Amino acid sequence: MGKLAVYKYAAAMFLTIQVVISVFTFVGLFGGNVTPVGNMARAMCVYILPVLIAANLVMMVYWLIRRKWLFLAIPVLTVACCIPYIGTYYQLSFENPQKNTESGLKIASYNVAMFKRETSGFMAQDILAEMRRQKVDILCMQEYNEVSGDQKNSESYKEYFPYMQVGRSDMVIYSRYPITGSKTILFEETNNSAMWADINVKGKEYRVFNVHLETTGINRTLRKAGQMMAQNRDVDNNRLLNAIMGNYTMGMMFRSGQAITIANEKRESDKPTILCGDFNDVPYSFVYNTVKGDMVDGFKECGAGWMYTYRGMKKQPVRIDYIFHDESIKGIAYYRTDLTYSDHFPVFMKIAF
């Protein structure tokens, strides 16, 4: 085979790779527009979007080196179309949202992971101290354990948050403003739930949703595998992989149904709505798109830098905790803090009065 033939073969191979990467990228960008039920492969492309974007950047460098300007246009256009998606993880800003001094209503969302089942109450107290320091007005907790929460700390929490509404036992909304109504939203076939509370803030009522959707189940499966290994029991890698994939796909299907339930409940609200919680799902997924609907992603509006909220993946940029709000509400600041009492980070947002 001559050099020219080898050159043409390599060029055709890299062009094919580029086309495949770009096609999968666009499938991922629009994969969240359809339910995972019956469209699992398409939905899974959403989860590998960061890898696909990185692959497009590598191909961009390759075409630059080869000076193939026509082929270079393919990854350039592909990455350009990914800019809105990238904005759900990174926002270029030269201001620190935590140092914003404008007056407003501060909301926080935090999956506290049952306070690690610690019963002395010191974790709950430290979390309360952080909420005081951040001047939080409304606090939504998921995986709340009242044994470590208000029962151990009732007076101290009530001193700062005079009003409290519990949904199912693992959901609570604390507020410095009066709660005038509430509802618990139960999901079928899982122990997860959601709730909302109507809160009167200086004469104006807001409906605040607190949401905790079905988990992926991966950590639970890996934990069981680790226990088996600790007992010197063999772990079949194929069975382990199948269990992980099975739990993950089942979690996706459960979450999609729960997201539809939340979206329907949200449509019935006749008040300005703020929605926050642990979705256990990534941006641009079906869950993210369905729950968000026509609401505003607070981070895209007024966040800065990288936003990841799950600390169980060795600080890989995984964002699964959110605060959304109606378009009639104006966001001022959005950020997280590195509080390490849970496998999640708390998320904060300030909105204009």
Side-chain angles (χ1 to χ4, degrees):
M1 184 181 293
K3 290 184 179 180
L4 182 60
V6 172
Y7 175 80
K8 288 183 176 179
Y9 175 79
M13 182 183 68
F14 277 101
L15 180 59
T16 301
I17 293 171
Q18 175 65 78
V19 171
V20 170
I21 292 172
S22 293
V23 168
F24 273 94
T25 303
F26 281 106
V27 171
L29 287 174
F30 295 98
N33 293 341
V34 294
T35 174
V37 181
N39 300 283
M40 193 59 65
R42 188 172 168 184
M44 290 297 290
C45 286
V46 179
Y47 297 87
I48 60 172
L49 267 173
V51 176
L52 292 170
I53 292 171
N56 276 288
L57 293 173
V58 171
M59 294 303 296
M60 196 183 301
V61 173
Y62 172 78
W63 296 125
L64 274 171
I65 293 172
R66 297 299 304 273
R67 297 186 179 182
K68 295 292 184 180
W69 312 122
L70 183 61
F71 296 159
L72 175 63
I74 302 175
V76 169
L77 290 174
T78 303
V79 172
C81 291
C82 293
I83 291 175
Y85 167 79
I86 296 170
T88 63
Y89 281 100
Y90 181 80
Q91 286 292 316
L92 180 63
S93 176
F94 299 102
E95 296 181 2
N96 185 345
Q98 290 194 55
K99 296 182 179 180
N100 185 286
T101 57
E102 293 183 56
S103 61
L105 181 71
K106 181 75 73 71
I107 301 103
S109 178
Y110 192 19
N111 182 323
V112 294
M114 296 293 183
F115 299 96
K116 296 184 179 178
R117 302 190 184 278
E118 188 276 320
T119 56
S120 71
F122 84 88
M123 286 187 184
Q125 284 298 306
D126 277 3
I127 291 171
L128 175 60
E130 176 70 3
M131 299 304 153
R132 283 178 178 269
R133 190 178 73 83
Q134 298 293 338
K135 298 179 180 178
V136 170
D137 298 300
I138 300 171
L139 169 61
C140 296
M141 283 185 176
Q142 306 89 39
E143 291 195 38
Y144 169 81
N145 182 352
E146 59 184 10
V147 173
S148 298
D150 68 295
Q151 287 186 3
K152 285 282 185 182
N153 306 279
S154 58
E155 296 306 317
S156 57
Y157 266 66
K158 288 177 181 177
E159 179 185 346
Y160 185 73
F161 294 109
Y163 306 97
M164 170 188 176
Q165 185 63 52
V166 177
R168 186 175 265 183
S169 60
D170 67 334
M171 300 286 288
V172 64
I173 296 178
Y174 285 106
S175 174
R176 300 188 67 191
Y177 295 96
I179 295 175
T180 59
S182 66
K183 181 179 178 179
T184 299
I185 305 166
L186 302 179
F187 300 132
E188 296 180 359
E189 300 179 351
T190 75
N191 293 323
N192 296 75
S193 65
M195 65 180 296
W196 56 254
D198 289 337
I199 301 177
N200 189 310
V201 181
K202 300 182 177 182
K204 182 173 183 177
E205 283 203 340
Y206 295 88
R207 179 159 294 180
V208 178
F209 279 79
N210 186 11
V211 176
H212 184 209
L213 304 184
E214 177 69 8
T215 184
T216 62
I218 291 178
N219 287 340
R220 182 170 58 249
T221 305
L222 292 176
R223 190 161 50 247
K224 289 181 179 179
Q227 291 171 352
M228 291 177 63
M229 293 176 67
Q231 297 169 2
N232 293 322
R233 295 165 60 188
D234 291 334
V235 177
D236 188 312
N237 290 334
N238 289 332
R239 291 183 61 186
L240 176 61
L241 182 60
N242 289 335
I244 290 174
M245 290 302 298
N247 286 336
Y248 202 84
T249 54
M250 285 296 292
M252 288 175 66
M253 290 188 285
F254 280 136
R255 286 194 300 275
S256 64
Q258 294 167 359
I260 293 171
T261 299
I262 295 300
N264 290 336
E265 187 72 32
K266 184 183 64 176
R267 289 190 192 97
E268 297 180 4
S269 174
D270 58 353
K271 301 175 177 63
T273 300
I274 302 165
L275 190 151
C276 61
D278 172 14
F279 293 6
N280 275 308
D281 225 320
V282 298
Y284 270 50
S285 65
F286 177 80
V287 167
Y288 174 91
N289 290 342
T290 301
V291 175
K292 178 176 171 289
D294 58 359
M295 301 182 84
V296 177
D297 183 334
F299 174 69
K300 292 188 71 174
E301 178 187 27
C302 52
W306 286 105
M307 176 53 64
Y308 55 92
T309 65
Y310 184 64
R311 57 184 296 268
M313 299 290 288
K314 296 182 180 179
K315 289 194 174 183
Q316 293 181 11
V318 180
R319 183 183 177 214
I320 59 176
D321 303 84
Y322 307 88
I323 301 178
F324 300 155
H325 63 79
D326 280 347
E327 292 179 345
S328 61
I329 297 171
K330 180 178 182 292
I332 300 174
Y334 191 109
Y335 60 94
R336 66 167 176 79
T337 59
D338 294 337
L339 207 60
T340 57
Y341 287 130
S342 167
D343 53 354
H344 293 249
F345 292 114
V347 180
F348 301 85
M349 183 173 186
K350 185 191 292 185
I351 66 171
F353 280 125

